[in-house]
Amino acid sequence: MWVVSDDALLDGLATGDPDATAAFVERFQRRVFGVAIRIVNDPRLAEDVAQETFLRAWQRAEAFDPRRGTVAAWLLTIARNLAIDTVRLRRVVIVDPAEILDRREPTGERGPDDLALLSSETERLHAALGDLPPDQCRALVLAAFFGRTAREISESESIPLGTAKTRIRTAMLRLRAALVDDTEASE
Amino acid sequence: MNDKSARSGCVPTAELLPELALGILGGTERADVLAHLDRCAACRDESAAWAATVDALPTVLADQEPPSGFEARTLERLRADRDRVPRRSTVQRVLMLAAVVAAVIIASVAAIRIIDARSDTSSSTALASARMVGNGGKHAGNAFMTSGSEHYVFVDVDYGVKTGIYRVESVDSSDRVTALGMVAVTAGHGAWAGELPGRATVGTPRMVRLVEPGGEVLCVAKFGRAAA
Ligand SMILES: [Zn+2]
């Protein structure tokens, strides 16, 4: 069966084609909702965030730049930022940072771009996260998925500010290295 | 520029670029990094590489089946928006306020006075908002401005602008341009908040705009007469 690429679906979304719009939502809803629910930890709020994500994707589809990354990364980054905006004002992170990285079997339809990516970039990133020392992983999750600053992390983890900054930076260096290795290996 | 002062700032800047890309760098550290990026192309490239790393992060979160009816409700909402039904959902309003607050927190500028201005409707201070639009009327984000004895300006970039470092400028009614500060856009997101210089030197802004390092205007938010 012919499978439409993510980029082509996004183009269809941008032009307002009803079939492409429905296919776009169908293809990405589980991933968008997955990002939203893991960060906000509340089904109703997660649905609001996920709907808003699709609305913004539709409004900003023309701003998508394929040279900068995949449609999935772009869309999930919108979801991540919206979810962080809604939880940033909560004083306490109510989710166990380690738990949001729990892996389940992917569900539903995936496009050809996803299938290629799953075996490379995302897998490499996930493996790199799994290899991080737990302290670094916690700091990274708090920063990347809950928008916590180094100062906030130093306070919640009861560690010096310099230690919090080092944990974030070291974790990020390892993740970036994993992505670079991946690019080189696939070329 | 590759002069000595630019190079000497590369080491401290490099240490902070991951936090900048994650959107969690604030205060003077953020200001120092942005000032360095404005004059150092090598660190700008490095900043873009970190932004790409951050962009890839949400792909590791696992899928989850949304509640039943999600797809139909989402499509209905997109249709309503397409038909230009003028409505703004509660969550959109909450997100808009959250964006203002996030901008204020990140910029660490006069946070309490700004939030006071937002909630105190009885005072003479009010918050005006304007859409920032780029070439061809493309949505780029929102700008907010308080009116009253002092002007605070917030800029919230919203997926319509590519990764980069931009100058925030105000233009007053006599076309005087004032550089307000710099905003970093990574992963489609960027926020800036600050106070306008004193009235003696700056008139009431009629527009706020983002300008590329090369001087090209990227997007503009125009405030109506009522807003100023
Ligand atoms: Zn530099």
Side-chain angles (χ1 to χ4, degrees), chain A residues 77-100:
Chain A
T77 292
I78 296 178
R80 162 193 175 264
N81 287 335
L82 288 173
I84 287 175
D85 280 349
T86 65
V87 298
R88 206 193 289 265
L89 298 181
R90 286 184 192 161
R91 286 196 64 81
V92 182
V93 171
I94 54 176
V95 184
D96 176 1
E99 225 166 64
I100 87 160

Side-chain angles (χ1 to χ4, degrees), chain B residues 131-141 160-161 210 217-221:
Chain B
R131 274 162 59 95
M132 277 196 300
V133 292
N135 289 336
K138 224 163 62 180
H139 178 95
V161 175
L210 298 190
V217 174
L218 202 74
C219 55
V220 176

Side-chain angles (χ1 to χ4, degrees), chain B:
Chain B
M1 219 194 286
N2 277 324
D3 59 61
K4 234 179 181 175
S5 66
R7 275 202 304 277
S8 68
C10 291
V11 172
T13 299
E15 297 220 321
L16 294 172
L17 285 179
E19 286 173 69
L20 181 75
L22 286 164
I24 59 167
L25 195 63
T28 53
E29 282 181 329
R30 183 183 182 83
D32 291 347
V33 167
L34 294 184
H36 178 79
L37 290 180
D38 194 44
R39 56 177 197 266
C40 180
C43 286
R44 278 202 297 275
D45 288 348
E46 188 66 3
S47 172
W50 283 117
T53 305
V54 172
D55 275 1
L57 287 177
T59 63
V60 304
L61 298 183
D63 298 0
Q64 185 156 324
E65 195 71 43
S68 75
F70 171 83
E71 192 176 340
R73 289 190 293 276
T74 302
L75 291 172
E76 180 51 40
R77 187 148 165 223
L78 291 177
R79 254 194 304 277
D81 193 77
R82 179 161 307 160
D83 298 340
R84 302 251 177 267
V85 175
R87 72 198 176 100
R88 179 155 272 161
S89 72
T90 310
V91 73
Q92 277 175 314
R93 269 194 228 104
V94 169
L95 285 168
M96 194 177 263
L97 179 57
V100 172
V101 174
V104 171
I105 289 168
I106 286 295
S108 306
V109 173
I112 290 165
R113 297 174 75 180
I114 290 167
I115 291 165
D116 278 354
R118 181 64 183 82
S119 54
D120 181 6
T121 50
S122 64
S123 84
S124 61
T125 303
L127 187 74
S129 71
R131 274 162 59 95
M132 277 196 300
V133 292
N135 289 336
K138 224 163 62 180
H139 178 95
N142 294 293
F144 306 85
M145 185 171 63
T146 60
S147 65
S149 50
E150 290 120 346
H151 285 300
Y152 295 100
V153 173
F154 327 108
V155 171
D156 179 44
V157 174
D158 202 14
Y159 313 107
V161 175
K162 64 182 190 297
T163 293
I165 309 294
Y166 306 106
R167 239 191 338 274
V168 183
E169 294 181 348
S170 75
V171 182
D172 71 11
S173 49
S174 47
D175 287 334
R176 265 182 306 188
V177 177
T178 307
L180 301 178
M182 270 170 296
V183 60
V185 176
T186 53
H189 217 54
W192 180 89
E195 192 178 354
L196 280 187
R199 276 259 165 107
T201 50
V202 184
T204 300
R206 65 183 175 82
M207 65 168 88
V208 171
R209 63 191 191 187
L210 298 190
V211 181
E212 291 196 81
E216 194 186 331
V217 174
L218 202 74
C219 55
V220 176
K222 289 178 181 164
F223 290 94
R225 286 167 63 99

Side-chain angles (χ1 to χ4, degrees), chain A residues 62-131:
Chain A
E62 285 170 17
F64 171 71
D65 180 356
R67 289 164 304 179
R68 285 212 51 235
T70 64
V71 171
W74 176 76
L75 184 68
L76 297 184
T77 292
I78 296 178
R80 162 193 175 264
N81 287 335
L82 288 173
I84 287 175
D85 280 349
T86 65
V87 298
R88 206 193 289 265
L89 298 181
R90 286 184 192 161
R91 286 196 64 81
V92 182
V93 171
I94 54 176
V95 184
D96 176 1
E99 225 166 64
I100 87 160
L101 297 175
D102 269 0
R103 212 71 196 284
R104 270 163 235 179
E105 284 305 301
T107 55
E109 184 196 354
R110 282 187 179 270
D113 306 353
D114 283 331
L115 293 175
L117 266 184
L118 265 183
S119 59
S120 58
E121 187 173 284
T122 304
E123 289 301 328
R124 292 292 291 262
L125 208 47
H126 210 271
L129 277 164
D131 288 344

